[in-house]
Amino acid sequence: MTDLSTEVCGLRLRNPTMLASGVLDETGKSMLAAARAGVGAIVTKSVGMDQRPGHPNPTIVELEHGLLNAMGLPNPGIELFSSELKEAKKGGVPIIGSVFGGTEQDIAELAALMEKAGADAIELNLSCPHAKGYGAELGSSPDRVESICRLAKQRTHVPVLAKLTPNTSSIADLARAAEKGGADGLVAINTLKGMAIDPEARMPILGNRFGGLSGPAIKPVGVRCVYEIYEAVEIPIVGVGGIASGRDAVEYMMAGATAVQVGTAVWTHGMDVFSRICKEMSRFMKDNGYRSVADMVGVAHPDKR
Ligand code: RRO
């Protein structure tokens, strides 16, 4: 198989796939299973200062071309999560700790605690579309994105990546703000805000009414966002949204992503999806004369051809 090893924000990866935040990444055991399945790096479930039960049920609706979720940031809190992270580290792949909070100070403190627990990098969740006072409520303002990234960088020594929301008129503005605040990299995209209604019951299906759409339906939005961000900033981009095959991953890389995250496809296809994506990427690279993953990054942009 072609060598797929690559580097993202100083992290050495055996291949450019990552387990996206929110799917099978809340316990040490499930993260170890992802490492054994061949993933390049793991992003943890988003963790806050204190334990949260999340939104009321139902929290997931399966749709024809994707999933709608309103989990509501359920997590055990940073203190309890630290032992899960320590176990996950035994898998030997980089662990990126995802954090959320309601203020610059809380987010920066959580980033520092994640680093202390052993995270190799931090992902700032500035983009959950349906949690009051968190995520996209802060991450839709370029000024706040900049100040959150700046404070998180001051409190940490590992790479900091900002995960951005697509629910905005200009994701490029958010990307520029994160770069200005000192972020080492960007992750695009989080889920698209949506809802589903049960016609017989005449009411929204999700307990929270609104949720985030993920899966194949959002891939064109994710690819467009990565493409726009690539033209706006210099820092590396990790692409996420609807990736389930090697071709999907290549599409994101050609738009400008250095690595890709997979979430919903792990839910629908299981952990084997990582080795399949790698095999398919490898085949594509061989057939099309690419010698390294880096050679594909951004080639869909006119000045890169
Ligand atoms: O937990 C969630 O409901 C959730 C999060 Br933190 C997120 O970032 N994106 C999403 O679709 N759901």
Side-chain angles (χ1 to χ4, degrees):
M1 197 160 88
T2 319
D3 179 20
L4 294 181
S5 64
T6 190
E7 195 193 303
V8 185
C9 301
L11 300 175
R12 297 280 327 150
L13 308 189
R14 59 183 163 178
N15 66 64
T17 67
M18 299 181 182
L19 177 63
S21 180
V23 181
L24 292 173
D25 48 10
E26 217 177 308
T27 69
K29 278 201 171 55
S30 62
M31 290 188 270
L32 279 175
R36 274 197 296 274
V39 78
I42 292 169
V43 188
T44 72
K45 174 69 188 159
S46 293
V47 175
M49 213 54 100
D50 304 306
Q51 189 171 10
R52 261 177 77 99
H55 288 321
N57 282 323
T59 52
I60 292 195
V61 188
E62 287 196 55
L63 301 170
E64 208 182 338
H65 300 292
L67 285 182
L68 193 61
N69 89 84
M71 305 305 294
L73 298 139
N75 79 98
I78 187 71
E79 200 179 322
L80 283 179
F81 186 75
S82 296
S83 54
E84 303 297 337
L85 197 148
K86 286 196 175 85
E87 190 177 356
K89 293 271 291 178
K90 293 179 195 157
V93 301
I95 308 286
I96 303 171
S98 170
V99 297
F100 74 91
T103 64
E104 277 81 348
Q105 288 72 20
D106 270 8
I107 295 171
E109 173 71 8
L110 280 157
L113 291 170
M114 263 293 184
E115 178 178 345
K116 197 165 158 224
D120 300 289
I122 307 296
E123 183 176 285
L124 306 174
N125 184 341
L126 306 179
S127 42
C128 178
H130 50 251
K132 232 183 153 15
Y134 301 113
E137 284 197 12
L138 313 180
S140 303
S141 147
D143 287 348
R144 292 215 71 189
V145 167
E146 185 184 335
S147 59
I148 291 166
C149 291
R150 181 162 296 118
L151 208 55
K153 277 302 289 175
Q154 282 169 10
R155 297 288 313 275
T156 51
H157 310 89
V158 292
V160 171
L161 293 93
K163 186 168 181 181
L164 304 177
T165 178
N167 303 303
T168 175
S169 57
S170 174
I171 199 165
D173 284 349
L174 299 175
R176 276 188 282 265
E179 186 180 53
K180 200 164 162 216
D184 300 284
L186 301 165
V187 181
I189 55 177
N190 207 315
T191 51
L192 286 166
K193 190 169 183 177
M195 83 184 292
I197 290 175
D198 181 327
E200 280 74 34
R202 292 189 284 172
M203 62 189 283
I205 299 176
L206 289 169
N208 184 58
R209 297 182 298 159
F210 309 115
L213 182 65
S214 62
I218 73 165
K219 194 186 76 177
V221 180
V223 171
R224 183 268 301 170
C225 286
V226 169
Y227 193 94
E228 286 182 357
I229 294 170
Y230 186 80
E231 300 203 335
V233 299
E234 301 290 324
I235 52 179
I237 310 160
V238 180
V240 51
I243 296 167
S245 70
R247 279 185 86 80
D248 295 337
V250 166
E251 220 181 305
Y252 267 93
M253 299 193 93
M254 291 187 168
T258 304
V260 293
Q261 296 182 357
V262 183
T264 302
V266 176
W267 163 288
T268 42
H269 303 292
M271 290 283 188
D272 288 348
V273 73
F274 295 109
S275 58
R276 181 169 54 73
I277 288 174
C278 288
K279 256 189 232 131
E280 290 168 359
M281 273 186 87
S282 209
R283 180 84 252 161
F284 177 88
M285 287 167 65
K286 215 163 166 193
D287 291 349
N288 291 276
Y290 291 103
R291 293 181 54 195
S292 80
V293 167
D295 289 346
M296 293 190 289
V297 176
V299 297
H301 293 259
D303 58 343
K304 279 273 203 162
R305 271 190 218 119

